[in-house]
């Protein structure tokens, strides 16, 4: 009987010691997670340019955390008459810890744009309000983590006259993932800030060069393990004063394997 009681006492003391140890370790674990999070640099402006190598993280204040998943340096120029487009790199970036405001903003770039919904439903004789509702219903919630494709580029007008041009109207990744850039780009910076649609686009002045960044959300159902190819289609080039068409838009292919 005494030996049984002694054994029970030893077990009780062991459980108590284990619980105390776990309780003591819990604050350490929380502190460790806090320290790990605090190691992520915090920036006020857009965080993408601060990511240099795969695995880098940065927290964009009042927005979310960005992690670089993949990068493909391109550094190649494409000429269409007097317009020169230089693609610097293409990257895959993960977004997490997004604020409610950021999630709401990004949701507007999911599903169908009004233009896309119009092209699908106008033949059904729907009203503009009904088509707009179709576009709204197609929007998707942003998950806890979402990834996007980022294109960094520049455009230069080497002509002596003002030109109307939109460098990347449509882009395609890996042969089948296609985006309408004017409606799906959520990064308004540099070149893309100067009018995101043809009707609001500012002309390129003679000799003007613009830097640009394009951000395109990846549908969670798209399983992208590696960026293998990229292509883009440009707008027509038109005279900035007369609006006369000078050259039709064209498409360019950019292989990414081996980059």
């Amino acid at each position: 009987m005494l030996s049984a009681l002694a054994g029970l006492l030893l077990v009780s003391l062991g459980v108590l010691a284990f619980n105390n140890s776990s309780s003591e370790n819990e604050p350490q674990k929380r502190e460790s997670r806090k320290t790990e999070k605090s190691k992520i640099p915090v920036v006020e402006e857009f965080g993408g340019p601060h990511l240099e190598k795969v695995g880098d993280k940065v927290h964009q204040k009042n927005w979310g955390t960005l992690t670089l998943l993949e990068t493909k340096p391109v550094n190649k120029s494409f000429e269409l008459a007097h317009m020169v487009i230089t693609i610097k790199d293409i990257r895959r970036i993960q977004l997490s810890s997004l604020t409610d405001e950021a999630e709401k903003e990004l949701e507007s770039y999911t599903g169908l744009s009004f233009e896309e919904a119009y092209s699908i439903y106008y033949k059904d004789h729907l009203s503009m309000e009904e088509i707009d509702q179709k576009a709204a219903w197609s929007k998707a919630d942003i998950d806890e983590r979402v990834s996007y494709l980022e294109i960094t580029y520049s455009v230069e007008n080497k002509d002596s006259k003002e030109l109307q041009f939109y460098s990347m109207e449509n882009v395609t990744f890996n042969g089948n993932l296609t985006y309408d850039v004017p409606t799906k780009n959520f990064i308004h910076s540099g070149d893309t800030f100067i009018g995101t649609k043809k009707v609001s686009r500012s002309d390129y002045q003679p000799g003007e060069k613009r830097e640009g960044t394009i951000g395109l959300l990846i549908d969670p159902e798209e399983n992208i393990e590696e960026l293998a190819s990229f292509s883009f289609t440009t707008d027509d080039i038109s005279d900035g004063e007369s609006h006369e068409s000078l050259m039709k838009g064209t498409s360019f292919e950019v292989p990414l394997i081996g980059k």
Side-chain angles (χ1 to χ4, degrees):
M1 182 71 176
L2 288 175
S3 61
L5 287 172
L8 183 60
L9 180 60
L10 286 173
V11 170
S12 299
L13 289 173
V15 170
L16 182 61
F18 176 79
N19 287 336
N20 287 338
S21 175
S22 298
S23 299
E24 290 173 1
N25 288 335
E26 191 58 36
Q28 294 175 0
K29 288 179 182 178
R30 287 199 297 268
E31 189 64 32
S32 176
R33 285 195 294 266
K34 186 187 292 184
T35 302
E36 183 179 347
K37 187 176 181 181
S38 68
K39 288 180 180 178
I40 301 175
V42 177
V43 296
E44 299 279 348
E45 70 280 5
F46 180 62
H50 296 273
L51 304 174
E52 297 180 355
K53 61 182 184 298
V54 173
D56 279 358
K57 292 185 178 185
V58 67
H59 184 77
Q60 184 177 330
K61 195 173 181 181
N62 299 323
W63 207 77
T65 298
L66 295 81
T67 305
L68 182 58
L69 302 179
E70 182 182 8
T71 183
K72 298 286 187 179
V74 179
N75 298 316
K76 188 174 181 180
S77 296
F78 304 86
E79 296 188 20
L80 183 64
H82 295 283
M83 300 302 300
V84 180
I85 305 162
T86 301
I87 299 178
K88 297 180 179 179
D89 55 40
I90 297 173
R91 307 193 297 172
R92 190 160 50 93
I93 296 173
Q94 183 185 81
L95 302 173
S96 60
S97 302
L98 293 166
T99 63
D100 292 342
E101 292 77 9
E103 287 185 3
K104 187 174 181 181
E105 177 187 343
L106 291 174
E107 281 173 12
S108 66
Y109 294 94
T110 66
L112 298 172
S113 65
F114 176 81
E115 290 82 355
E116 290 170 324
Y118 181 83
S119 68
I120 295 170
Y121 296 109
Y122 81 95
K123 57 183 177 294
D124 296 333
H125 306 293
L126 299 183
S127 67
M128 291 297 181
E129 184 179 347
E130 289 171 322
I131 291 174
D132 188 51
Q133 192 173 53
K134 290 280 190 183
W137 284 342
S138 73
K139 303 303 181 186
D141 292 336
I142 295 297
D143 292 336
E144 185 177 332
R145 285 187 173 85
V146 64
S147 298
Y148 76 93
L149 296 161
E150 182 185 276
I151 308 163
T152 306
Y153 69 101
S154 67
V155 184
E156 184 175 5
N157 175 13
K158 291 196 171 183
D159 206 338
S160 58
K161 57 188 174 186
E162 183 180 323
L163 296 175
Q164 290 181 327
F165 186 59
Y166 200 101
S167 57
M168 297 185 197
E169 280 205 309
N170 294 285
V171 299
T172 300
F173 300 88
N174 292 4
N176 60 7
L177 185 58
T178 299
Y179 295 87
D180 175 61
V181 174
T183 59
K184 292 300 172 68
N185 172 37
F186 70 87
I187 299 177
H188 302 312
S189 170
D191 177 62
T192 56
F193 186 74
I194 309 178
T196 55
K197 291 182 173 60
K198 285 184 180 181
V199 293
S200 63
R201 190 70 173 162
S202 297
D203 296 345
Y204 287 87
Q205 298 304 308
E208 182 182 5
K209 182 177 181 179
R210 298 178 187 169
E211 305 289 334
T213 304
I214 292 170
L216 305 162
L217 289 174
I218 302 174
D219 189 312
E221 295 182 2
E222 294 289 343
N223 185 23
I224 297 181
E225 295 182 354
E226 182 184 16
L227 291 170
S229 65
F230 171 72
S231 61
F232 65 97
T233 302
T234 74
D235 182 18
D236 300 341
I237 298 177
S238 301
D239 185 279
E241 295 184 3
S242 68
H243 309 299
E244 175 189 359
S245 179
L246 303 176
M247 179 171 281
K248 289 290 184 183
T250 190
S251 297
F252 296 99
E253 297 280 340
V254 185
L256 299 177
I257 291 292
K259 293 285 185 181

